Amino acid sequence: MNRESAHTVKSYEQELGQLRAIMARMGGLVESQT
């Protein structure tokens, strides 16, 4: 894997992690509202 591909994969993984955190937060808000 070249350096550019590695950077793209790392960036994708970081964004996926952020998305998971947002989804978990949203789930917590829904849970507290019900």
Side-chain angles (χ1 to χ4, degrees), residues 1 4-17:
M1 187 181 313
E4 192 173 307
S5 291
H7 174 71
T8 301
V9 170
K10 185 176 180 185
S11 180
Y12 174 77
E13 291 293 330
Q14 287 174 339
E15 288 188 32
L16 201 55

Side-chain angles (χ1 to χ4, degrees), residues 13-27:
E13 291 293 330
Q14 287 174 339
E15 288 188 32
L16 201 55
Q18 290 173 347
L19 185 58
R20 282 191 185 116
I22 290 167
M23 294 297 285
R25 225 177 301 141
M26 286 174 61

